[in-house]
Amino acid sequence: MAKNYEEEAKAILKLVGENNVDSVTHCQTRLRFVVKDRKAIDDKALEKLPEVKGVFYGSGQYQVIIGTGVVNDVYAAIAKLGTVNAIYGKDDADTGKTSNEHKTVVQRLMAMLSGIFIPIIPVIAATGLFLGLKSAATNAQVLKLFGVVPSDIPASLTSVISVLTDTVFAFLPALIVWSTFRYFKGTPIIGIVIGLMLVSPILPNAYSVADGSAKAIMLFGWLPVVGSQGSVLTALVAGFIGAKLELFFRRHMPNVLEQILTPFLTMLVTFAIMIMGVGPIVHAIESGMLVSVEAVIHLPFGIGGFLIGAAYPLMVLIGIHQTMIAIETSLLASTGLNPLITLEAMYGFANLGVALAIFLRARSNKAKATSMGAFTSQLFGVSEPTLFGVLIRYNFRPLIVTVLTSGIGAAILSMLNVAANSYGLAVVPSYLMYIYNGHALLWYTIVSLGTVVAAFVATNAFAIPKEVLTPDGDVETANAVISSTVSDNKVYAPVGGETVALDQVSDPVFASGMMGEGMAIKPAEPGINNVYAPQAGTLSVVADTGHAYGLTTDDGMEILVHLGIDTVNLKGAPFTVAVKAGQHVNKGDLLGTFDQAAIKKAGLDATTIVLITNSKSYARIEPVAADTTVQAGADLLAAQREDVKVESVEPA
């Protein structure tokens, strides 16, 4: 007899709040609520419900993790109650609202800043390296080793090198206006020209006017006009105004005039608005903001550094850390240095100490694999595996260690006035941002390594989770079973590509393991990829959108194949389906296809997730193909059931 999920549905709606729900839909693993007030929901109470595996807020939706198959029944029960807007088979357009419309102002701001500044990060990081190499190459102590002095370097060579080091910051507003136009769907080339106008050499340089070596142009005899060198906020505002004006003119301009008059009016009106009032006002606001930030950084006794270093891990956790990019860019443009990234960087080093401590103390092979994967990715600045796979997975004690040790390291660096000359580099590569100054590099190295040691010691002292101290089971028995040739203990790759540890995927729900253990695969084919059955069994779930398949094997293993991250939002466009729910398939049968290029064009991750969703039914699940490239149909995972006895394993 099928289980009645009405009580579970009522309990979920009570805790989410019926009046708090604009709409609810679901994918293959979770309920997706669009809510009015995310803060009104009691996460802990929801997680205690029998069918709820966890909760997560992302993509403008409050997601309640239920699990494959069961989520359909719970959703059907919610829809049957009729008290909220349950969207059967509809997309966001059918509700009249998109998930973006339900994002808070802060969330929209973060998305905007991320979209604008991320394309610029590589050139700023490269410029930082040029500056560092220039400083090292012209350092008197370095040159002394070769028997020369700085004055021996030809002025012409110094000038040529300056092209590498000065260009990006000299024309930074042009890059920002270009990227802003691009983000708001304007024509990027118009943005570049407007940005170049703001820093035109015809206008008095803003820095020269500030230090008194030049005077502003007095337009009409009373309006001071200067360039916008170093003003990030001015460029952002110019890009926003210009892009919106261009879109307005294109909608209202006759087709015969649109190609010429739209760029003409866009550049004319935007430049006039920025030069004749808005630009100076925005620049004054930005200057005040930078003074405030620098005042916090330099609070006495390292207090400001501690606050920034301790807060940054929490900012990453809730996803608002991208707002720091604009501030860092402004600091670099106005002062040439970035003390903010120096303080924030201690978060990554603290993570290294925590992950390493857990790896060395863990007796669980699963915990060892998770923590080592987190440690390795963190070495190069990728913190999500550490954050979701380690810090918040074990009762938050490891997170507390990271917060405190990151804060302490940042406090010391703020007292020492250490600052980077770039951004975009984290943990091991971050040392390159300090080679411009020997003292800065020395202190940054000492404090960063000290932060790793402090986090390591503190984790060992009071933050080693009890769960990781429990062995997975008898290793010889487990290995004997896993290496057996019993086919129903295996899961095979549904697509070909590069295997990735589950804790390294970008979706924290999958990465945390709350949906079950498994592996991920980055598909090999840039275009159309076939998806094959990972085992023989009955298809319990075939998503209408084609982005997910649920399979129950003849032996009772429940497997989920999820094609990409958040691809449910694509409404099935890149997918085709060759099977239907309830159909029995053999291992290797074609399930459908997906277009990886179309997924990436939509800005989404095409990584395929393969999970054993009833992982608790198995004593041990291990990857057969880790950190390698597999063909579709190759061994991917192996599992040992709890009821397997040693006697049943024949000796090798």
Side-chain angles (χ1 to χ4, degrees), residues 269 357 399 555:
V269 176
L399 177 62
D555 191 44

Side-chain angles (χ1 to χ4, degrees), residues 307-489:
L307 293 175
I308 294 170
Y312 192 70
L314 305 177
M315 295 175 70
V316 177
L317 179 62
I318 61 178
I320 63 173
H321 59 296
Q322 297 286 7
T323 55
M324 292 296 187
I325 297 177
I327 301 173
E328 291 173 27
T329 306
S330 293
L331 285 169
L332 279 169
S334 61
T335 69
L337 294 174
N338 180 7
L340 197 56
I341 189 65
T342 302
L343 308 181
E344 297 164 351
M346 293 305 101
Y347 157 64
F349 289 100
N351 279 350
L352 286 179
V354 173
L356 182 61
I358 293 176
F359 169 75
L360 293 176
R361 288 283 301 278
R363 299 184 65 192
S364 161
N365 287 330
K366 177 185 174 183
K368 275 187 174 293
T370 299
S371 54
M372 179 45 64
F375 178 86
T376 303
S377 60
Q378 186 64 78
L379 283 171
F380 299 96
V382 181
S383 67
E384 283 78 8
T386 311
L387 183 60
F388 293 107
V390 177
L391 297 188
I392 67 172
R393 188 171 185 171
Y394 302 115
N395 298 320
F396 288 91
R397 284 190 179 184
L399 177 62
I400 294 171
V401 170
T402 285
V403 168
L404 294 177
T405 53
S406 173
I408 293 169
I412 296 171
L413 288 170
S414 68
M415 288 189 288
L416 293 169
N417 293 315
V418 177
N421 70 344
S422 180
Y423 65 65
L425 302 173
V427 193
V428 172
S430 70
Y431 293 103
L432 297 172
M433 299 189 296
Y434 301 88
I435 60 176
Y436 76 95
N437 183 297
H439 291 291
L441 178 60
L442 176 64
W443 282 119
Y444 182 79
T445 301
I446 292 171
V447 175
S448 62
L449 295 179
T451 300
V452 176
V453 173
F456 178 85
V457 172
T459 304
N460 273 290
F462 72 92
I464 296 293
K466 293 181 180 179
E467 301 95 309
V468 309
L469 299 175
T470 304
D472 292 329
D474 182 85
V475 177
E476 291 183 4
T477 301
N479 286 341
V481 174
I482 288 175
S483 64
S484 74
T485 57
V486 180
S487 62
D488 54 19
N489 280 341

Side-chain angles (χ1 to χ4, degrees), residues 491 515-517 557-558 610-615 618 621 637 639:
V491 176
M515 287 301 304
E517 298 181 44
M557 182 184 289
E558 297 173 6
V610 184
L611 300 178
I612 299 176
T613 55
N614 62 335
S615 294
Y618 296 84
I621 297 172
L637 297 166

Side-chain angles (χ1 to χ4, degrees), residues 17-37:
E18 292 181 359
N19 295 328
N20 191 32
V21 177
D22 278 328
S23 64
V24 57
T25 185
H26 75 100
C27 59
Q28 305 318 121
T29 60
R30 58 198 92 172
L31 299 170
R32 294 172 176 263
F33 291 92
V34 175
V35 297
K36 300 181 178 73
D37 184 5

Side-chain angles (χ1 to χ4, degrees), residues 193-345:
V193 174
I194 292 173
L196 291 173
M197 289 177 177
L198 296 178
V199 292
S200 170
I202 299 172
L203 298 176
N205 186 286
Y207 297 122
S208 299
V209 173
D211 64 21
S213 61
K215 292 183 179 181
I217 296 174
M218 301 306 294
L219 192 63
F220 309 123
W222 58 270
L223 180 65
V225 176
V226 298
S228 299
Q229 286 82 6
S231 182
V232 171
L233 193 57
T234 300
L236 283 171
V237 172
F240 175 80
I241 292 174
K244 294 299 182 182
L245 281 173
E246 183 195 354
L247 295 177
F248 172 81
F249 289 136
R250 290 199 185 283
R251 285 196 301 269
H252 296 88
M253 192 70 63
N255 291 337
V256 68
L257 300 174
E258 191 269 336
Q259 187 173 1
I260 297 176
L261 285 186
T262 293
F264 169 77
L265 291 173
T266 300
M267 290 188 287
L268 174 64
V269 176
T270 303
F271 182 71
I273 289 174
M274 298 309 299
I275 291 297
M276 300 176 67
V278 173
I281 293 172
V282 171
H283 185 65
I285 294 172
E286 181 179 21
S287 298
M289 291 170 56
L290 292 181
V291 169
S292 300
V293 170
E294 290 186 301
V296 172
I297 291 173
H298 296 109
L299 284 173
F301 311 112
I303 293 173
F306 179 84
L307 293 175
I308 294 170
Y312 192 70
L314 305 177
M315 295 175 70
V316 177
L317 179 62
I318 61 178
I320 63 173
H321 59 296
Q322 297 286 7
T323 55
M324 292 296 187
I325 297 177
I327 301 173
E328 291 173 27
T329 306
S330 293
L331 285 169
L332 279 169
S334 61
T335 69
L337 294 174
N338 180 7
L340 197 56
I341 189 65
T342 302
L343 308 181
E344 297 164 351

